[in-house]
Amino acid sequence: MGAAADMNGFVKVATLAEVPEGYPHLVEVGLSRIALFNLGGEIHALEDMCTHDGGPLVEGDLIDGQEVQCPRHGARFDIRTGAALCMPAFQPAVRYETRVDGTDIWVAVLD
């Protein structure tokens, strides 16, 4: 996405309609692939990469409404915090700060 960041480093990446609950949504900001998740109306964002072997989290299964399971080897991550919850992953997934303004979803971009 080629949108410029606002004064606080946030970039508009999607709308609420694009991220229905239970269906992860992939966005790209520069070279970053970010998986967006809607948990009960709260938007969360993780780097779309399993810390075990780089599997695409956006293609993973949602478990118990708050976890995503990597489709390659079954590592699980807490969608809200990025914490690695089981082997084979030990490192947390990168988490991005989000905000919603009206129907627009904004993500803080890491430099």
Side-chain angles (χ1 to χ4, degrees):
M1 178 166 212
D6 73 3
M7 297 279 297
N8 297 313
F10 282 81
V11 174
K12 179 183 168 190
V13 295
T15 65
L16 289 173
E18 294 174 296
V19 190
E21 191 165 357
Y23 297 93
H25 181 72
L26 178 67
V27 296
E28 295 184 11
V29 178
L31 299 176
S32 298
R33 293 173 48 92
I34 302 170
L36 299 176
F37 301 89
N38 181 338
L39 300 182
E42 291 185 22
I43 302 299
H44 299 272
L46 298 177
E47 183 175 25
D48 186 37
M49 183 172 59
C50 175
T51 58
H52 168 244
D53 79 343
L57 296 180
V58 77
E59 295 176 15
D61 291 327
L62 299 182
I63 309 293
D64 297 331
Q66 297 179 352
E67 301 173 14
V68 61
Q69 182 174 27
C70 178
R72 290 190 182 164
H73 299 111
R76 290 186 185 181
F77 299 89
D78 186 311
I79 292 169
R80 300 161 300 165
T81 65
L85 300 173
C86 71
M87 291 178 48
F90 294 100
Q91 297 297 317
V94 174
R95 182 184 162 277
Y96 294 87
E97 186 178 350
T98 64
R99 74 174 191 218
V100 176
D101 183 13
T103 61
D104 296 331
I105 299 170
W106 295 72
V107 173
V109 180
L110 304 175
D111 290 336

